[in-house]
Amino acid sequence: MAARMKEREDGRSLWLFNVIHDFKRKALGIEVEVSLPSERVIRALKQIIAWLC
């Protein structure tokens, strides 16, 4: 899991939240938002868990 902020050329920031399966090197989820509150992260993780089960 990694959350990173990237600044665009126009100065605006984007947050990227990536969940990667370390063994398979497969992206399980990617979220890109202007704002990434904890509720959004929790919802993304719940979706991944539901998908895996």
Side-chain angles (χ1 to χ4, degrees):
M1 243 179 350
R4 296 185 178 171
M5 183 183 71
K6 296 287 184 176
E7 190 171 313
R8 296 176 16 170
E9 290 181 11
D10 62 2
R12 293 176 41 192
S13 297
L14 290 176
W15 282 94
L16 295 94
F17 176 66
N18 301 307
V19 179
I20 309 293
H21 190 292
D22 285 333
F23 182 70
K24 294 182 180 180
R25 308 296 280 172
K26 179 179 178 182
L28 300 175
I30 300 172
E31 298 288 328
V32 179
E33 298 288 340
V34 175
S35 174
L36 198 58
S38 59
E39 293 86 11
R40 183 76 174 127
V41 173
I42 292 168
R43 184 172 60 201
L45 290 173
K46 285 182 178 180
Q47 288 175 346
I48 292 168
I49 291 168
W51 178 67
L52 292 174
C53 294

